[in-house]
């Protein structure tokens, strides 16, 4: 009875409940790939914006702190890396360290020194990075900043967000969270931004911490990852189509029409001379 069946049309296979379920799973997977691709494109846009900020602001002429931050509690992210100049007096007894700041796979901290300006406000200066030493009791010996009046040139960065469950202990903070530092200092403080030290005058007697590294102008591999996720989504549908076609071919091979096609293909292959026949014909001709 099977031999009298005609070929099965493709939609009789593709629109079955089983293959529709597979199609739904494929669509969900492709949707996830699109979402991940969109996320990578957004990450690339953020990286490009950061590169533009560095190119526009990093080597600009320093401006007064009060001009850059007219409102001590606010900060425009587009002003990141702008150099500012401010004069005041360091408060070395109030120094803090931002912990868990590895650099080139070496454990370390960033030294945060409050600078009291002429109007009584506190501006937090990140004076640089210190590696951990071998003293388990006091792993970070903080160098003393210049005493008396000092003129500081620093680049602005926004206050860092808090980390839930991690606060402050023994003069150490988990992040450079300026509102928290203001509470610790109990003094009016710039909470919108702090400064990465570029230079200070006079030069300190103690060796200063290592200066901050210049940000890289590399947008990363986000574009490549985004295109890869798109490709994965497309390949999922191609694989689904191949699977449907393969099942259709197997099922049609059992019908009379399918068997006739297979026999015709076999006869066609048999009618063609083999490589051995061609070689024998060439030798005979010689």
């Amino acid at each position: 009875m099977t031999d009298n069946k005609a070929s099965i049309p493709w939609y009789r296979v593709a629109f079955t409940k089983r293959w529709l379920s597979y199609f739904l799973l494929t669509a969900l997977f492709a949707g996830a790939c699109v979402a991940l691709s969109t996320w990578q494109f957004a990450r690339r846009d953020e990286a490009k914006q950061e590169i533009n900020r560095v190119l526009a602001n990093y080597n600009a002429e320093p401006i007064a702190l009060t001009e850059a931050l007219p409102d001590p509690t606010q900060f425009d992210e587009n002003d990141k890396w702008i150099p500012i100049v401010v004069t005041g007096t360091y408060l070395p007894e109030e120094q803090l360290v931002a912990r868990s700041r590895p650099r080139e796979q070496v454990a370390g901290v960033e030294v945060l020194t409050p600078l009291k300006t002429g109007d009584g406000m506190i501006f937090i200066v990140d004076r640089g990075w210190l590696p951990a030493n071998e003293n388990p009791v006091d792993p970070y010996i903080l160098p003393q900043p210049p005493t008396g009046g000092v003129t500081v040139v620093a680049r602005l960065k926004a206050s860092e967000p808090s980390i839930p469950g991690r606060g402050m202990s023994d003069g150490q903070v988990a992040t450079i969270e300026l509102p928290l530092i203001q509470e610790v200092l109990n003094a009016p403080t710039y909470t919108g931004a702090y400064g990465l030290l570029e230079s200070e005058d006079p030069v300190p007697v103690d060796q200063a911490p290592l200066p901050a590294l210049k940000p890289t102008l590399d947008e990363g591999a986000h574009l490549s990852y985004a295109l890869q996720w798109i490709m994965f989504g497309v390949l999922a549908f191609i694989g689904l189509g191949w699977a449907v076609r393969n099942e259709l071919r197997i099922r049609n091979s059992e019908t009379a029409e399918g068997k006739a096609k297979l026999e015709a293909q076999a006869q066609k292959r048999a009618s063609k001379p083999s490589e051995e026949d061609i070689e024998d014909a060439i030798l005979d001709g010689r």
Side-chain angles (χ1 to χ4, degrees):
M1 298 296 293
T2 304
D3 291 345
N4 296 327
K5 290 182 180 179
S7 295
I8 303 172
W10 67 270
Y11 53 84
R12 293 284 300 276
V13 174
F15 290 155
T16 59
K17 183 178 180 180
R18 177 166 60 91
W19 282 108
L20 288 176
S21 299
Y22 291 157
F23 176 82
L24 178 60
L25 292 175
T26 305
L28 290 174
F29 174 78
C33 291
V34 171
L36 290 169
S37 174
T38 303
W39 174 62
Q40 288 293 344
F41 278 124
R43 292 281 305 278
R44 179 173 182 256
D45 290 340
E46 292 174 0
K48 291 174 67 176
Q49 290 176 4
E50 181 66 9
I51 291 173
N52 292 334
R53 291 191 194 102
V54 173
L55 294 175
N57 300 338
Y58 197 85
N59 293 320
E61 287 296 322
I63 61 176
L65 174 63
T66 52
E67 180 183 350
L69 297 176
D71 184 347
T73 64
Q74 301 296 321
F75 181 65
D76 186 349
E77 191 65 22
N78 290 325
D79 292 336
K80 184 178 180 182
W81 306 116
I82 284 182
I84 59 92
V85 58
V86 57
T87 300
T89 304
Y90 279 127
L91 305 177
E93 66 280 1
E94 303 290 349
Q95 286 192 118
L96 303 168
V97 295
R99 59 181 180 264
S100 302
R101 302 286 169 141
R103 183 163 166 172
E104 297 178 350
Q105 300 182 348
V106 177
V109 296
E110 292 183 24
V111 180
L112 309 177
T113 308
L115 179 74
K116 189 172 184 179
T117 63
D119 57 4
M121 292 286 293
I122 301 294
F123 180 67
I124 303 300
V125 179
D126 184 342
R127 297 190 64 238
W129 180 85
L130 282 180
N133 57 45
E134 297 179 357
N135 186 348
V137 178
D138 189 8
Y140 303 106
I141 300 176
L142 304 184
Q144 291 299 305
T147 58
V150 60
T151 299
V152 171
V153 176
R155 290 186 173 86
L156 295 179
K157 286 191 70 176
S159 174
E160 296 179 357
S162 62
I163 299 179
R166 297 179 64 183
M168 177 177 176
S169 63
D170 300 329
Q172 298 184 5
V173 291
T175 66
I176 307 177
E177 184 186 354
L178 297 177
L180 174 62
I181 295 176
Q182 178 179 233
E183 293 180 9
V184 174
L185 298 176
N186 194 26
T189 304
Y190 283 87
T191 57
Y194 66 99
L196 293 177
L197 181 66
E198 172 65 20
S199 66
E200 50 194 359
D201 185 24
V203 177
V205 176
D206 291 351
Q207 184 177 0
L210 294 177
L213 298 175
K214 183 177 180 178
T216 60
L217 302 179
D218 182 11
E219 67 181 41
H222 302 299
L223 178 59
S224 175
Y225 292 151
L227 296 177
Q228 286 179 22
W229 282 117
I230 293 175
M231 181 181 67
F232 291 154
V234 173
L235 288 177
F237 281 107
I238 293 176
L240 179 67
W242 177 87
V244 172
R245 181 177 179 275
N246 190 53
E247 179 171 325
L248 183 65
R249 180 182 60 81
I250 293 173
R251 292 178 61 177
N252 277 333
S253 67
E254 300 175 354
T255 64
E257 185 176 345
K259 289 182 177 180
K261 288 182 179 179
L262 291 176
E263 291 176 358
Q265 292 174 357
Q267 292 176 359
K268 185 176 180 181
R269 287 194 297 269
S271 62
K272 293 182 179 180
S274 64
E275 293 182 359
E276 291 79 4
D277 294 336
I278 295 175
E279 292 178 356
D280 292 341
I282 294 174
L283 293 174
D284 293 341
R286 291 180 179 176

